[in-house]
Structures are given as structure tokens and as C-alpha cells.
């Protein structure tokens, strides 16, 4: 795939190892925008970084759909 990817990951995730996020970022075929969710764990959308996730997702969506 070559389309832009927004990759959100937490270094404290106890389910998905941070190395998996690194691997995906390094092997993905298109541009990757990474966001580290430093204050959250696995269910980050319900944790401290939920507002950051919303803001970054909206900004990313706008950036890839603007002409």
C-alpha cells in the first residue's frame, strides 16, 4: 500500500508491544505519520490521550482529503 497512514501507538500498551508499531512503520509502503500516546495504555480512546487521538485523526483526515 502506498496511501498515507496515521499510526497511533502507546509505549505503555500492555497488549500490543511498541516494537510492533515500529515494525509496521518501517515496513509500510507509503508515508507514515506517527503519534505517540504517551499517557495512555491499550484502549487509548478511553484513556488520557483520547482528545489527542481525536485532534490528530481529524487533522490527518483533512490533510489527505484536501486538494
Amino acid at each position: 500500500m502506498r496511501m498515507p497512514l496515521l499510526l497511533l501507538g502507546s509505549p505503555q500498551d500492555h497488549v500490543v508491544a511498541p516494537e510492533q508499531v515500529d515494525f509496521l512503520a518501517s515496513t509500510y509502503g507509503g508515508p507514515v505519520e506517527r503519534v505517540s500516546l504517551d499517557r495512555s495504555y491499550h484502549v487509548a480512546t478511553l484513556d488520557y490521550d483520547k482528545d489527542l487521538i481525536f485532534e490528530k485523526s481529524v487533522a490527518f483526515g483533512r490533510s489527505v482529503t484536501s486538494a
Side-chain angles (χ1 to χ4, degrees):
M1 297 176 106
R2 302 209 188 286
M3 63 187 74
L5 171 68
L6 177 62
L7 186 57
L8 303 116
S10 170
Q12 289 79 245
D13 193 325
H14 59 284
V15 176
V16 178
E19 295 80 19
Q20 294 298 319
V21 178
D22 295 337
F23 175 77
L24 180 56
S26 68
T27 58
Y28 188 72
V32 177
E33 180 179 336
R34 293 186 68 167
V35 177
S36 183
L37 306 172
D38 297 330
R39 301 180 326 134
S40 296
Y41 293 89
H42 182 67
V43 187
T45 55
L46 300 177
D47 213 336
Y48 295 107
D49 289 315
K50 65 180 177 252
D51 293 332
L52 176 63
I53 293 169
F54 178 79
E55 292 167 16
K56 292 293 188 177
S57 297
V58 170
F60 180 79
R62 287 183 175 148
S63 74
V64 298
T65 59
S66 63

